[in-house]
Amino acid sequence: MSNDWTARIRAMFTVYGMSDSGNCYKVKLALEQLAVPYRWIEVDSTRGQTRKFLAMNANGKVPVLALEDGSFLPESNAILYYLAEGSRLLPAGRPERARVLQWMFFEQYSHEPYLAVARSILRYQPADSPRRAELPRLRERGKQALSVMEEHLRRSPFFVAGRYGIADIALYAYTHCAADGGFSLKDFPAVNAWVERVSNEPRHVPMPP
Amino acid sequence: MSNDWTARIRAMFTVYGMSDSGNCYKVKLALEQLAVPYRWIEVDSTRGQTRKFLAMNANGKVPVLALEDGSFLPESNAILYYLAEGSRLLPAGRPERARVLQWMFFEQYSHEPYLAVARSILRYQPADSPRRAELPRLRERGKQALSVMEEHLRRSPFFVAGRYGIADIALYAYTHCAADGGFSLKDFPAVNAWVERVSNEPRHVPMPP
């Protein structure tokens, strides 16, 4: 596994992403922390769903990672798992890796659709947008997700095996900027302390402004 | 890997699930096809979010798999990955496994929230439920997900590496019963043919009625 890893970090990855997206930031943060060289190509998936981009990902979303074989890998958490295998960011044990996936599926199903969407409405929609009507439900569900994280982080410094890894990266992306969506992390002290811990990890880079 | 697998299939798994849920059916189908012995404990997560159940999964959702070490693993697709590692249902290569995760994250983010929710509204909500107002948007997004699948299945018999595996199981769960949510698979001939292929796989079991 580590041979494979050593060979792979010599490759140059290309990421197609939108800097302001938390899902894209996950990939940037992992690449920086793994010290893997990469090229970043800025794509505004909300506008330019060009034919060229849809050929990379028929689902029309960023980020997309260009693999060594010329194919394209979408889905931020699949990319994280792919990049992190064999590194300190993903435990080797089978039950631990199942836990990593558990938290990454939690993130995409029970967390991101509320925290990221509330953020997106407040940042990109006009003040009189009818989409603001969605905010109360998004806040309620988002707080529920933060409560589940709080419960876990009261007992453990990081999400899996007590060590920083890609489950933390996946959940950090839209948690550290939860205030953008109108959430206060003061109500979730263990989450707040974890955000601070994650931002102090070696080679951490902030989300682009 | 195969030694570990051989040892593991001697263990008895316990699944906490709701038979009518596609997410729970995924786990049943994988266990049946892997010929792994298991106990099924019926839990109605819509009602009985008992303290005992929340201790297994603070996020309050089924399915949950009881692991050999006494801990509990939620998230249907994390369970599928855990069960399938080292078996014919999950390819061993790193890029192939990344593709499996890509399709499983697609399922949970871009497919299940539309097909499963439309099905749930039509099956479990009264005919005059205000939630029916969500149906047009759910149908539009659900059809978009089916189009992405159609595009892929025109070129490949299964989702990853041309072979049946857990990405197919994950996507089959709510696709084969798409009609329950008001979707017609006749508009998606490659998806329709794939549903037929999946149902003809060895040791296939139907979703409980």
Side-chain angles (χ1 to χ4, degrees):
Chain A
M1 211 177 215
S2 66
N3 274 352
D4 186 15
W5 173 247
T6 316
R8 208 155 43 81
I9 58 173
R10 292 201 197 105
M12 168 73 91
F13 286 109
T14 300
V15 183
Y16 297 83
M18 191 162 51
S19 286
D20 190 45
S21 146
N23 286 322
C24 297
Y25 169 53
K26 292 174 189 175
V27 177
K28 182 188 277 283
L29 183 50
L31 286 164
E32 293 283 349
Q33 294 190 309
L34 292 168
V36 174
Y38 65 97
R39 259 188 316 241
W40 183 277
I41 296 181
E42 194 71 17
V43 175
D44 184 348
S45 74
T46 58
R47 281 194 260 167
Q49 291 201 1
T50 59
R51 200 173 286 195
K52 190 180 157 204
F53 182 66
L54 289 172
M56 292 182 206
N57 179 15
N59 201 28
K61 295 186 196 307
V62 285
V64 171
L65 183 73
L67 301 188
E68 297 90 326
D69 66 1
S71 68
F72 298 99
L73 181 65
E75 298 294 337
S76 58
N77 291 349
I79 296 172
L80 286 184
Y81 199 96
Y82 177 77
L83 291 172
E85 264 196 286
S87 83
R88 66 188 166 82
L89 295 182
L90 183 64
R94 186 191 303 234
E96 289 76 21
R97 280 180 294 129
R99 295 278 164 220
V100 169
L101 290 177
Q102 170 200 330
W103 285 109
M104 295 209 297
F105 281 109
F106 165 83
E107 190 264 338
Q108 284 288 286
Y109 193 85
S110 301
H111 179 284
E112 201 267 12
Y114 309 112
L115 280 88
V117 175
R119 176 176 183 263
S120 155
I121 291 174
L122 286 175
R123 276 174 86 92
Y124 306 113
Q125 301 293 320
D128 59 353
S129 164
R131 293 207 53 195
R132 292 206 162 216
E134 298 171 30
L135 288 172
R137 183 175 155 274
L138 296 174
R139 295 246 172 87
E140 187 202 318
R141 299 284 184 96
K143 279 186 189 169
Q144 210 172 308
L146 291 167
S147 303
V148 171
M149 293 170 68
E150 178 75 13
E151 163 83 17
H152 185 78
L153 292 167
R154 258 188 225 133
R155 293 173 281 118
S156 182
F158 294 106
F159 277 93
V160 180
R163 277 181 16 225
Y164 178 70
I166 55 171
D168 301 286
I169 292 178
L171 281 158
Y172 179 81
Y174 285 106
T175 304
H176 85 286
C177 59
D180 291 350
F183 297 92
S184 170
L185 292 188
K186 285 191 186 134
D187 304 334
F188 304 96
V191 174
N192 213 12
W194 164 83
V195 163
E196 183 70 19
R197 265 195 305 280
V198 170
S199 69
N200 287 323
E201 280 292 309
R203 300 186 60 91
H204 180 84
V205 290
M207 187 147 97
Chain B
M1 214 177 213
S2 66
N3 274 352
D4 185 14
W5 173 247
T6 317
R8 207 157 44 81
I9 59 172
R10 293 201 195 103
M12 169 73 92
F13 286 109
T14 300
V15 183
Y16 297 83
M18 190 162 54
S19 286
D20 191 44
S21 147
N23 286 321
C24 297
Y25 168 54
K26 293 173 189 174
V27 177
K28 181 188 279 278
L29 183 50
L31 287 163
E32 293 283 349
Q33 293 190 309
L34 292 168
V36 174
Y38 65 97
R39 259 187 315 243
W40 183 277
I41 296 181
E42 193 71 18
V43 176
D44 184 348
S45 74
T46 58
R47 280 195 261 168
Q49 292 202 2
T50 58
R51 199 172 287 194
K52 190 180 155 204
F53 182 67
L54 288 172
M56 291 183 208
N57 179 15
N59 201 28
K61 294 187 198 306
V62 285
V64 172
L65 183 73
L67 300 187
E68 297 91 325
D69 66 1
S71 69
F72 298 99
L73 180 65
E75 298 293 339
S76 57
N77 291 348
I79 296 172
L80 285 184
Y81 199 96
Y82 177 76
L83 291 173
E85 264 198 285
S87 83
R88 67 188 166 83
L89 294 181
L90 183 64
R94 186 190 305 232
E96 290 76 22
R97 280 180 294 126
R99 296 277 165 220
V100 169
L101 290 177
Q102 169 200 331
W103 285 110
M104 296 207 297
F105 280 109
F106 165 82
E107 191 265 339
Q108 284 288 285
Y109 193 84
S110 301
H111 179 284
E112 200 269 13
Y114 309 112
L115 280 88
V117 175
R119 175 176 183 263
S120 154
I121 291 174
L122 286 176
R123 277 173 84 93
Y124 306 114
Q125 301 293 320
D128 59 351
S129 163
R131 292 207 54 195
R132 293 205 161 215
E134 299 171 30
L135 288 173
R137 183 175 156 274
L138 296 174
R139 295 247 172 89
E140 187 202 318
R141 300 283 184 97
K143 278 185 190 171
Q144 212 173 308
L146 291 167
S147 303
V148 172
M149 293 170 68
E150 178 74 13
E151 163 84 16
H152 186 77
L153 291 168
R154 256 186 228 135
R155 292 173 283 118
S156 183
F158 295 106
F159 277 94
V160 181
R163 276 180 18 223
Y164 178 71
I166 55 172
D168 301 286
I169 293 178
L171 281 158
Y172 180 81
Y174 286 106
T175 303
H176 85 287
C177 59
D180 291 351
F183 297 91
S184 169
L185 292 188
K186 285 190 188 135
D187 305 334
F188 304 97
V191 174
N192 213 13
W194 164 82
V195 163
E196 183 70 18
R197 266 195 303 282
V198 170
S199 69
N200 286 324
E201 280 292 309
R203 300 187 60 92
H204 180 85
V205 292
M207 187 146 96

